[in-house]
């Protein structure tokens, strides 16, 4: 597609459940990033994939969070045993290289009840 | 630690000029980005500075001084649609991840 695509756009789930968020980057973009934006807060870096290199996981807040990128394209962010503080908008971005501007998707709004 | 500061909110008048400042103290520096984010929408890329000086792109300009850890975004001929949050972000030397400021909420009044 023309832009970064994320699904679902909204997700409501009960505390303790696992969730999977999907990101389809811009075709040909080798770099993919996950951020989250809590209400009234700035964007917080989570994880970064660049080509076949080992991902930079330094922003993941706990071991309940994990992400993978299959075939150098689509990425899935998984949150296990969700907590209420996980409620946020999860944004995915991609770029044609680590030194190029990042282009964001519309995000997934996650609400934990 | 990483620290990026920008004003929380600003108000300006349609047709006027507004300058949004950003100061940063980070462990590395490999470029500064400005993004615009309308409520409920994705951030959209506005500008990028890696060397000192002014970058101009239509009604938007961005300035960088690396020695002072300072940048500003200048918006000219303000329009109502410019009401949005403006995000300052620094790319650290290691990898391509961005560290964002809290954003400046700009309100443009008639």
């Amino acid at each position: 597609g023309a832009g970064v695509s994320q699904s679902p756009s909204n997700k409501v789930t009960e505390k303790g459940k696992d969730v999977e968020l999907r990101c389809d980057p811009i075709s040909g973009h080798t770099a993919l990033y996950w951020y989250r934006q809590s209400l009234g807060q700035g964007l917080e870096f989570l994880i970064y994939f660049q080509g076949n290199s080992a991902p930079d996981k330094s922003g993941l807040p706990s071991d309940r969070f994990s992400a993978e990128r299959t075939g150098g394209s689509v990425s899935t962010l998984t949150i296990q045993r969700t907590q209420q503080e996980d409620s946020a908008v999860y944004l995915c971005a991609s770029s044609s290289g680590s030194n190029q501007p990042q282009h964001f998707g519309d995000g997934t709004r996650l609400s934990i009840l | 630690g990483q620290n990026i500061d920008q004003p929380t909110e600003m108000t300006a008048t349609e047709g006027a000029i507004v300058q949004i400042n950003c100061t940063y103290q980070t462990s590395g520096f490999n470029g500064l980005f400005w993004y615009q984010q309308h409520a409920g929408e994705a951030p959209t890329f506005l500008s990028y500075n890696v060397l000192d000086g002014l970058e101009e792109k239509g009604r938007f300009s961005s300035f960088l001084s690396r020695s002072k850890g300072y940048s500003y975004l200048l918006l000219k001929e303000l329009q109502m649609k410019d009401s949005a949050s403006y995000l300052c972000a620094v790319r650290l030397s290691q990898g391509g991840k961005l560290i964002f400021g809290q954003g400046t909420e700009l309100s443009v009044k008639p």
Side-chain angles (χ1 to χ4, degrees):
Chain A
V4 177
S5 178
Q6 292 188 246
S7 61
S9 54
N10 285 283
K11 176 74 175 178
V12 180
T13 193
E14 293 179 346
K15 175 182 171 182
K17 301 286 189 184
D18 297 352
V19 294
E20 279 191 357
L21 312 179
R22 176 188 168 103
C23 173
D24 223 319
I26 293 171
S27 179
H29 278 194
T30 57
L32 186 148
Y33 312 78
W34 283 98
Y35 296 85
R36 74 175 175 183
Q37 188 172 31
S38 302
L39 192 63
Q41 301 294 313
L43 275 74
E44 174 190 4
F45 167 77
L46 297 176
I47 188 168
Y48 157 53
F49 298 88
Q50 171 60 58
N52 296 320
S53 303
D56 176 356
K57 304 179 182 180
S58 61
L60 295 179
S62 77
D63 59 7
R64 296 187 295 105
F65 288 72
S66 63
E68 61 178 27
R69 189 179 185 193
T70 53
S73 180
V74 172
S75 176
T76 302
L77 177 69
T78 301
I79 309 173
Q80 296 178 309
R81 305 181 302 282
T82 52
Q83 304 293 314
Q84 287 187 330
E85 62 262 28
D86 299 335
S87 295
V89 177
Y90 288 81
L91 290 159
C92 176
S94 71
S95 72
S96 56
S98 61
N99 286 332
Q100 298 302 313
Q102 297 175 23
H103 298 276
F104 286 82
D106 287 337
T108 294
R109 185 173 298 277
L110 177 64
S111 300
I112 309 299
L113 303 179
Chain B
Q2 323 294 353
N3 195 45
I4 300 176
D5 286 319
Q6 46 182 136
T8 304
E9 52 188 27
M10 299 181 71
T11 302
T13 304
E14 192 176 15
I17 299 173
V18 70
Q19 177 175 313
I20 303 174
N21 295 324
C22 172
T23 57
Y24 63 90
Q25 293 173 306
T26 55
S27 57
F29 181 85
N30 192 24
L32 188 142
F33 294 79
W34 284 95
Y35 283 83
Q36 179 191 61
Q37 186 177 28
H38 286 100
E41 298 183 10
T44 54
F45 170 71
L46 288 179
S47 70
Y48 163 57
N49 295 72
V50 66
L51 300 176
D52 290 353
L54 189 68
E55 292 285 339
E56 297 186 79
K57 193 186 286 187
R59 294 190 299 115
F60 296 79
S61 303
S62 58
F63 171 83
L64 175 67
S65 168
R66 289 171 295 170
S67 62
K68 295 180 179 177
Y70 168 69
S71 173
Y72 68 71
L73 179 69
L74 194 71
L75 291 77
K76 303 175 187 174
E77 301 167 15
L78 280 172
Q79 302 175 9
M80 299 299 289
K81 67 178 182 179
D82 297 329
S83 293
S85 184
Y86 290 85
L87 312 178
C88 172
V90 171
R91 184 171 60 204
L92 303 183
S93 296
Q94 294 179 330
K97 68 184 181 187
L98 297 179
I99 306 299
F100 282 85
Q102 299 279 38
T104 298
E105 190 69 38
L106 174 66
S107 297
V108 179
K109 308 290 186 186

